[in-house]
Amino acid sequence: MTFDNKPLPGGVGVEVIGLEVNGPVASDTAAALKKLWLDKGVILFRGLGTSPEVLLELSRCFGELEPHPIEHFRLPGYPELILLSNEKDLTGPVYEFDGVPTYGRIPWHTDLAFATTPNAGALLRMVKKSEHGGQTGWLDTAMAWEALDAATKQRIEGLEAKYVFCPDLSAMRFNRQKGKLLQPTSKNLPRFPPVAHPLVWVHPETGQRILNVSTLNIQSVLGMSQSESDALLEKLIAHTLQPQFQYIHDWEENDIVLWDNRRTMHSAFGHPVDEVRIVQRSTIRGTVQMGRVIEEEQQEQTA
Protein backbone atom coordinates (compact mmCIF):
# COMPACT_ATOMS: atom_id res chain seq x y z
CA MET A 1 0.00 0.00 0.00
CA THR A 2 1.43 3.37 -0.99
CA PHE A 3 0.44 6.97 -0.35
CA ASP A 4 1.72 10.45 -1.02
CA ASN A 5 1.45 13.70 0.92
CA LYS A 6 1.35 17.43 0.31
CA PRO A 7 1.81 20.39 2.67
CA LEU A 8 -1.27 21.91 4.24
CA PRO A 9 -1.84 25.64 3.57
CA GLY A 10 0.45 27.78 5.70
CA GLY A 11 3.20 25.22 6.18
CA VAL A 12 1.98 23.38 9.31
CA GLY A 13 1.21 19.69 8.72
CA VAL A 14 0.47 17.64 5.60
CA GLU A 15 -2.44 15.97 3.81
CA VAL A 16 -2.08 12.28 2.97
CA ILE A 17 -3.11 11.41 -0.59
CA GLY A 18 -3.97 8.01 -2.05
CA LEU A 19 -4.27 5.98 1.16
CA GLU A 20 -6.94 3.28 1.35
CA VAL A 21 -7.98 1.55 4.56
CA ASN A 22 -10.09 -1.55 4.00
CA GLY A 23 -8.86 -3.59 6.96
CA PRO A 24 -5.72 -3.86 9.08
CA VAL A 25 -3.02 -1.54 7.72
CA ALA A 26 0.12 -3.28 6.47
CA SER A 27 3.06 -2.96 8.86
CA ASP A 28 5.28 -1.10 6.38
CA THR A 29 2.50 1.39 5.61
CA ALA A 30 1.78 1.86 9.31
CA ALA A 31 5.49 2.52 9.98
CA ALA A 32 5.63 5.08 7.16
CA LEU A 33 2.51 6.82 8.46
CA LYS A 34 3.91 6.97 11.99
CA LYS A 35 7.20 8.43 10.72
CA LEU A 36 5.27 11.09 8.80
CA TRP A 37 3.25 11.89 11.94
CA LEU A 38 6.41 12.35 14.02
CA ASP A 39 8.03 14.42 11.25
CA LYS A 40 5.08 16.74 10.58
CA GLY A 41 2.93 16.80 13.74
CA VAL A 42 -0.44 17.19 11.97
CA ILE A 43 -1.91 14.98 9.21
CA LEU A 44 -5.18 15.40 7.31
CA PHE A 45 -6.92 12.37 5.76
CA ARG A 46 -9.92 12.65 3.43
CA GLY A 47 -12.32 10.12 1.93
CA LEU A 48 -11.36 7.04 3.92
CA GLY A 49 -14.93 5.89 4.56
CA THR A 50 -17.38 6.41 7.36
CA SER A 51 -17.16 3.22 9.41
CA PRO A 52 -15.78 3.30 12.97
CA GLU A 53 -13.60 0.32 12.01
CA VAL A 54 -11.69 2.47 9.52
CA LEU A 55 -10.96 5.09 12.18
CA LEU A 56 -9.81 2.36 14.58
CA GLU A 57 -7.52 0.64 12.06
CA LEU A 58 -5.94 3.95 11.08
CA SER A 59 -5.56 5.01 14.72
CA ARG A 60 -3.73 1.81 15.66
CA CYS A 61 -0.90 2.72 13.30
CA PHE A 62 0.27 5.33 15.82
CA GLY A 63 0.22 3.51 19.16
CA GLU A 64 -1.96 1.95 21.82
CA LEU A 65 -5.43 3.47 22.05
CA GLU A 66 -6.82 4.74 25.32
CA PRO A 67 -10.54 4.23 26.03
CA HIS A 68 -12.30 7.16 27.69
CA PRO A 69 -12.55 6.44 31.44
CA ILE A 70 -16.20 7.57 31.51
CA GLU A 71 -18.35 5.08 29.61
CA HIS A 72 -20.97 7.74 28.77
CA PHE A 73 -18.58 9.36 26.28
CA ARG A 74 -17.75 6.15 24.39
CA LEU A 75 -19.24 5.38 21.01
CA PRO A 76 -21.63 2.46 21.69
CA GLY A 77 -19.92 -0.80 20.76
CA TYR A 78 -16.52 0.88 20.32
CA PRO A 79 -14.91 1.56 23.70
CA GLU A 80 -11.77 3.00 22.08
CA LEU A 81 -13.75 5.73 20.28
CA ILE A 82 -15.32 8.85 21.80
CA LEU A 83 -18.56 10.34 20.47
CA LEU A 84 -18.87 14.11 20.90
CA SER A 85 -22.26 15.51 19.95
CA ASN A 86 -24.76 18.18 20.95
CA GLU A 87 -27.59 16.44 19.07
CA LYS A 88 -29.46 15.10 22.12
CA ASP A 89 -28.15 17.05 25.10
CA LEU A 90 -25.60 19.66 26.12
CA THR A 91 -23.03 18.23 28.51
CA GLY A 92 -20.49 21.01 28.03
CA PRO A 93 -20.78 24.72 28.85
CA VAL A 94 -22.45 27.32 26.63
CA TYR A 95 -20.87 30.77 26.24
CA GLU A 96 -22.03 33.86 24.43
CA PHE A 97 -19.50 35.30 21.99
CA ASP A 98 -20.41 38.42 19.99
CA GLY A 99 -24.06 37.86 20.86
CA VAL A 100 -24.09 34.22 19.65
CA PRO A 101 -24.70 31.37 22.16
CA THR A 102 -21.77 29.10 21.36
CA TYR A 103 -21.02 25.46 22.12
CA GLY A 104 -17.68 23.65 22.03
CA ARG A 105 -15.31 26.63 22.31
CA ILE A 106 -11.97 25.46 23.76
CA PRO A 107 -8.99 27.85 23.56
CA TRP A 108 -5.46 26.79 22.60
CA HIS A 109 -4.34 23.88 24.74
CA THR A 110 -2.47 20.61 24.96
CA ASP A 111 -4.60 17.63 25.97
CA LEU A 112 -3.99 16.56 29.58
CA ALA A 113 -1.60 19.45 30.23
CA PHE A 114 -3.05 19.30 33.76
CA ALA A 115 -1.82 15.69 34.19
CA THR A 116 1.66 14.26 34.61
CA THR A 117 1.41 12.11 31.45
CA PRO A 118 -0.27 13.81 28.47
CA ASN A 119 -1.63 11.57 25.73
CA ALA A 120 0.61 11.05 22.71
CA GLY A 121 -1.93 12.18 20.17
CA ALA A 122 -5.44 11.82 18.82
CA LEU A 123 -7.48 11.45 15.65
CA LEU A 124 -10.70 13.43 15.12
CA ARG A 125 -13.26 12.60 12.42
CA MET A 126 -16.07 14.90 11.38
CA VAL A 127 -19.33 12.94 11.18
CA LYS A 128 -21.68 15.93 10.87
CA LYS A 129 -20.37 19.47 10.58
CA SER A 130 -22.22 22.51 11.84
CA GLU A 131 -23.55 24.98 9.29
CA HIS A 132 -21.55 27.84 10.81
CA GLY A 133 -18.23 27.89 12.66
CA GLY A 134 -16.90 24.65 14.04
CA GLN A 135 -13.32 25.03 12.80
CA THR A 136 -10.43 23.43 14.64
CA GLY A 137 -6.93 24.88 14.74
CA TRP A 138 -3.55 23.27 15.34
CA LEU A 139 -0.40 25.09 16.35
CA ASP A 140 3.12 23.68 15.94
CA THR A 141 4.91 24.44 19.19
CA ALA A 142 8.16 22.89 17.91
CA MET A 143 8.18 25.56 15.20
CA ALA A 144 7.44 28.18 17.85
CA TRP A 145 10.45 27.02 19.87
CA GLU A 146 12.75 27.12 16.85
CA ALA A 147 11.69 30.72 16.10
CA LEU A 148 12.50 31.97 19.63
CA ASP A 149 15.54 34.19 20.04
CA ALA A 150 18.60 32.57 21.59
CA ALA A 151 18.49 34.64 24.79
CA THR A 152 14.92 33.60 25.56
CA LYS A 153 15.69 29.96 24.80
CA GLN A 154 18.56 30.06 27.27
CA ARG A 155 16.45 31.84 29.90
CA ILE A 156 13.59 29.32 29.93
CA GLU A 157 15.57 26.06 29.71
CA GLY A 158 15.05 24.23 33.01
CA LEU A 159 12.13 26.38 34.18
CA GLU A 160 8.87 24.76 35.29
CA ALA A 161 5.35 26.17 35.17
CA LYS A 162 2.21 25.36 37.13
CA TYR A 163 -0.73 23.93 35.17
CA VAL A 164 -4.28 23.36 36.44
CA PHE A 165 -7.48 21.71 35.23
CA CYS A 166 -9.66 24.52 33.91
CA PRO A 167 -13.27 23.54 33.06
CA ASP A 168 -14.46 27.18 33.17
CA LEU A 169 -12.84 29.63 30.73
CA SER A 170 -13.12 32.42 33.32
CA ALA A 171 -10.38 30.68 35.33
CA MET A 172 -7.81 31.15 32.54
CA ARG A 173 -5.00 33.52 33.44
CA PHE A 174 -3.71 34.02 29.90
CA ASN A 175 -5.33 34.24 26.45
CA ARG A 176 -8.60 35.07 28.24
CA GLN A 177 -11.75 34.59 26.18
CA LYS A 178 -14.23 37.47 25.90
CA GLY A 179 -17.31 35.34 26.38
CA LYS A 180 -20.16 35.25 28.88
CA LEU A 181 -21.06 31.94 30.51
CA LEU A 182 -24.73 31.17 29.79
CA GLN A 183 -24.89 27.56 30.95
CA PRO A 184 -22.26 25.66 32.95
CA THR A 185 -21.21 22.12 32.18
CA SER A 186 -23.63 19.43 33.31
CA LYS A 187 -20.85 16.86 33.73
CA ASN A 188 -19.62 15.73 37.13
CA LEU A 189 -15.94 16.46 36.70
CA PRO A 190 -13.15 14.98 38.81
CA ARG A 191 -10.69 17.16 40.69
CA PHE A 192 -7.05 17.20 39.65
CA PRO A 193 -4.12 18.48 41.72
CA PRO A 194 -1.90 21.14 40.14
CA VAL A 195 1.07 19.81 38.21
CA ALA A 196 4.45 21.20 37.18
CA HIS A 197 5.72 20.77 33.63
CA PRO A 198 8.89 22.10 32.02
CA LEU A 199 8.36 25.19 29.89
CA VAL A 200 10.48 23.37 27.33
CA TRP A 201 9.45 19.80 26.64
CA VAL A 202 11.81 17.36 24.95
CA HIS A 203 9.80 15.11 22.66
CA PRO A 204 10.21 11.53 23.93
CA GLU A 205 10.41 10.03 20.42
CA THR A 206 12.10 12.68 18.27
CA GLY A 207 14.19 14.64 20.78
CA GLN A 208 12.74 17.91 19.48
CA ARG A 209 12.44 20.83 21.86
CA ILE A 210 8.91 22.13 22.25
CA LEU A 211 7.55 25.34 23.75
CA ASN A 212 5.03 24.15 26.35
CA VAL A 213 2.52 26.91 27.09
CA SER A 214 -0.98 25.37 27.10
CA THR A 215 -2.94 28.61 27.40
CA LEU A 216 -6.02 26.94 28.88
CA ASN A 217 -4.06 25.55 31.81
CA ILE A 218 -0.86 27.48 32.49
CA GLN A 219 -0.84 29.64 35.63
CA SER A 220 2.65 30.74 36.62
CA VAL A 221 6.37 30.00 36.44
CA LEU A 222 7.59 28.28 39.58
CA GLY A 223 10.11 30.22 41.64
CA MET A 224 9.29 33.63 40.13
CA SER A 225 7.34 36.58 41.46
CA GLN A 226 3.91 36.96 39.89
CA SER A 227 4.91 40.09 37.98
CA GLU A 228 8.04 38.49 36.52
CA SER A 229 6.17 35.26 35.77
CA ASP A 230 3.27 37.06 34.08
CA ALA A 231 5.59 39.14 31.91
CA LEU A 232 7.50 36.06 30.76
CA LEU A 233 4.40 33.97 30.04
CA GLU A 234 2.65 36.81 28.21
CA LYS A 235 5.73 37.17 25.99
CA LEU A 236 5.97 33.42 25.31
CA ILE A 237 2.25 33.04 24.59
CA ALA A 238 2.14 36.06 22.27
CA HIS A 239 5.08 34.57 20.37
CA THR A 240 3.53 31.09 20.20
CA LEU A 241 0.09 32.22 18.98
CA GLN A 242 1.47 33.89 15.85
CA PRO A 243 -0.41 32.83 12.67
CA GLN A 244 2.67 31.36 10.95
CA PHE A 245 2.67 28.49 13.45
CA GLN A 246 -1.03 27.68 12.93
CA TYR A 247 -3.19 25.56 10.65
CA ILE A 248 -6.94 26.26 10.82
CA HIS A 249 -9.11 23.49 9.37
CA ASP A 250 -12.52 24.10 7.79
CA TRP A 251 -14.08 20.69 8.11
CA GLU A 252 -15.78 18.60 5.46
CA GLU A 253 -17.74 15.59 6.60
CA ASN A 254 -15.58 12.44 6.86
CA ASP A 255 -12.34 14.42 7.23
CA ILE A 256 -9.93 12.94 9.78
CA VAL A 257 -7.15 14.96 11.41
CA LEU A 258 -4.35 13.33 13.39
CA TRP A 259 -2.08 15.33 15.66
CA ASP A 260 0.93 14.78 17.88
CA ASN A 261 -0.22 16.14 21.24
CA ARG A 262 3.36 16.49 22.48
CA ARG A 263 4.42 19.03 19.82
CA THR A 264 1.16 20.86 19.13
CA MET A 265 -1.63 22.79 20.76
CA HIS A 266 -5.12 22.77 19.31
CA SER A 267 -8.22 24.92 19.63
CA ALA A 268 -11.92 24.28 18.96
CA PHE A 269 -13.53 27.49 17.73
CA GLY A 270 -17.07 26.48 18.71
CA HIS A 271 -20.35 26.72 16.81
CA PRO A 272 -23.88 28.09 17.38
CA VAL A 273 -25.48 26.03 20.13
CA ASP A 274 -28.60 25.31 18.05
CA GLU A 275 -26.60 23.70 15.20
CA VAL A 276 -25.74 20.00 15.43
CA ARG A 277 -22.09 18.95 15.22
CA ILE A 278 -21.01 15.32 15.66
CA VAL A 279 -17.44 14.03 15.80
CA GLN A 280 -15.72 10.78 16.67
CA ARG A 281 -12.28 10.66 18.27
CA SER A 282 -9.62 8.15 19.20
CA THR A 283 -6.85 8.89 21.69
CA ILE A 284 -3.29 7.55 21.50
CA ARG A 285 -2.09 6.66 24.97
CA GLY A 286 0.84 8.61 26.43
CA THR A 287 3.55 6.40 27.89
CA VAL A 288 6.13 8.94 29.10
CA GLN A 289 5.68 11.03 32.25
CA MET A 290 6.51 14.65 31.39
CA GLY A 291 5.39 16.43 34.56
CA ARG A 292 4.95 15.98 38.30
CA VAL A 293 2.30 16.70 40.91
CA ILE A 294 3.06 19.85 42.89
CA GLU A 295 3.28 19.07 46.57
CA GLU A 296 1.01 21.02 48.93
CA GLU A 297 3.86 22.98 50.50
CA GLN A 298 5.08 24.12 47.10
CA GLN A 299 1.54 25.09 46.09
CA GLU A 300 1.42 27.51 49.02
CA GLN A 301 4.76 29.02 48.03
CA THR A 302 3.61 29.58 44.43
CA ALA A 303 0.02 30.65 45.08
Side-chain angles (χ1 to χ4, degrees):
M1 190 185 298
T2 59
F3 62 87
D4 202 353
N5 70 86
K6 64 179 183 181
L8 291 170
V12 173
V14 295
E15 179 181 352
V16 160
I17 308 295
L19 179 71
E20 295 182 1
V21 180
N22 300 312
V25 179
S27 59
D28 58 340
T29 301
L33 286 169
K34 184 170 183 179
K35 182 180 185 302
L36 185 66
W37 172 55
L38 293 174
D39 287 345
K40 302 299 183 181
V42 177
I43 302 180
L44 168 64
F45 302 89
R46 296 186 190 270
L48 291 184
T50 60
S51 74
E53 286 81 7
V54 166
L55 181 56
L56 283 172
E57 293 297 346
L58 180 63
S59 301
R60 288 171 180 146
C61 295
F62 308 101
E64 179 186 359
L65 302 186
E66 184 170 31
H68 197 286
I70 301 175
E71 192 169 342
H72 169 77
F73 292 105
R74 298 177 186 174
L75 181 66
Y78 299 92
E80 294 172 313
L81 296 181
I82 300 169
L83 177 65
L84 301 172
S85 170
N86 65 319
E87 186 173 27
K88 295 181 180 179
D89 54 16
L90 301 178
T91 57
V94 178
Y95 291 87
E96 183 180 88
F97 291 97
D98 299 322
V100 179
T102 300
Y103 191 74
R105 173 78 69 96
I106 308 176
W108 291 107
H109 67 287
T110 300
D111 284 339
L112 294 184
F114 54 86
T116 59
T117 306
N119 59 271
L123 294 92
L124 194 68
R125 176 165 69 191
M126 184 57 59
V127 176
K128 180 178 178 59
K129 69 174 186 176
S130 56
E131 186 176 350
H132 301 92
Q135 297 93 339
T136 306
W138 283 270
L139 193 154
D140 192 328
T141 48
M143 290 177 62
W145 162 261
E146 289 297 331
L148 268 182
D149 63 275
T152 303
K153 286 181 177 179
Q154 184 176 17
R155 181 185 179 193
I156 66 176
E157 279 276 13
L159 294 179
E160 290 182 309
K162 176 182 176 180
Y163 298 77
V164 301
F165 180 55
C166 188
D168 182 349
L169 302 187
S170 66
M172 294 176 64
R173 294 212 60 238
F174 302 93
N175 189 32
R176 291 289 295 271
Q177 305 295 291
K178 297 179 181 179
K180 176 184 177 182
L181 180 64
L182 300 180
Q183 178 180 315
T185 180
S186 64
K187 294 180 284 189
N188 292 320
L189 300 173
R191 300 178 71 88
F192 296 91
V195 297
H197 281 281
L199 273 178
V200 184
W201 268 349
V202 177
H203 195 290
E205 294 188 74
T206 68
Q208 286 176 304
R209 276 176 158 64
I210 295 155
L211 193 52
N212 177 31
V213 286
S214 180
T215 70
L216 179 62
N217 313 99
I218 196 164
Q219 299 288 301
S220 60
V221 179
L222 299 183
M224 282 189 181
S225 67
Q226 182 170 325
S227 59
E228 184 183 11
S229 168
D230 285 358
L232 176 59
L233 291 179
E234 285 167 0
K235 173 183 176 180
L236 293 176
I237 289 170
H239 167 81
T240 303
L241 298 190
Q242 292 181 88
Q244 64 262 36
F245 307 135
Q246 300 180 20
Y247 168 67
I248 309 301
H249 188 59
D250 285 309
W251 291 95
E252 296 296 333
E253 290 177 2
N254 200 33
D255 284 355
I256 298 172
V257 177
L258 159 72
W259 67 96
D260 186 336
N261 187 56
R262 301 156 298 190
R263 71 168 276 183
T264 63
M265 290 195 290
H266 58 284
S267 176
F269 288 21
H271 59 91
V273 70
D274 58 353
E275 296 183 10
V276 174
R277 184 178 187 268
I278 304 173
V279 299
Q280 296 170 355
R281 170 179 157 151
S282 61
T283 301
I284 305 165
R285 186 186 300 276
T287 58
V288 178
Q289 182 172 323
M290 302 176 79
R292 61 182 178 84
V293 173
I294 298 177
E295 300 298 332
E296 185 174 346
E297 180 179 346
Q298 191 170 7
Q299 288 185 45
E300 294 175 357
Q301 293 173 355
T302 59

